[in-house]
Amino acid sequence: MTKYLSEVPLLSWTPPEPPKFSGDTYDAKRDGRRLNRQLMAVWMVVRDERWRTLSQIADETGEPEASISARLRDFRKPEIMGATVDRRHVNKGLWEYRVVGGKVAAH
């Protein structure tokens, strides 16, 4: 059964098992655990749907900005979450992001 994020208790959400990461350089054995950990770390910060810069998310997660950007792209993928990742320009190349909605597997 699938639920919207707002219907899932915050502490019980986990990414779908297994997330369908892909790409020419992706190796499940080498990268799977790290990407799952990053996905959860970023989710724990952005789940409140507030606007944040990559730098702010990095400060809260300890993950590199490039990895955070990639995980935000992953949140858009229907097989991972199918969420909307909004972005807005702040100034001089600085952007803020927020994750809204999406469906997750109920566990």
Side-chain angles (χ1 to χ4, degrees):
M1 178 177 185
T2 303
K3 295 184 175 186
Y4 284 93
L5 292 178
S6 60
E7 298 172 354
V8 178
L10 294 178
L11 297 178
S12 68
W13 181 85
T14 57
E17 295 291 335
K20 300 199 189 298
F21 297 108
S22 61
D24 291 342
T25 62
Y26 174 71
D27 178 290
K29 192 172 189 176
R30 180 192 63 214
D31 303 320
R33 179 179 229 155
R34 175 180 53 84
L35 297 182
N36 279 318
R37 180 186 50 74
Q38 287 179 346
L39 195 71
M40 180 58 79
V42 174
W43 169 248
M44 296 301 286
V45 172
V46 301
R47 67 184 185 202
D48 63 5
E49 300 183 357
R50 291 179 39 210
W51 289 98
R52 290 180 174 84
T53 64
L54 292 177
S55 176
Q56 289 169 326
I57 299 169
D59 287 346
E60 293 187 53
T61 63
E63 300 294 339
E65 289 183 28
S67 295
I68 292 163
S69 180
R71 300 301 68 83
L72 292 175
R73 288 191 302 276
D74 288 338
F75 286 145
R76 291 183 176 112
K77 297 176 182 176
E79 65 272 18
I80 293 182
M81 185 183 292
T84 298
V85 179
D86 293 327
R87 71 178 190 164
R88 66 182 181 191
H89 184 254
V90 177
N91 66 27
K92 298 181 182 177
L94 180 64
W95 293 81
E96 290 181 318
Y97 302 85
R98 71 175 177 181
V99 177
V100 180
K103 294 184 179 182
V104 296
H107 296 274

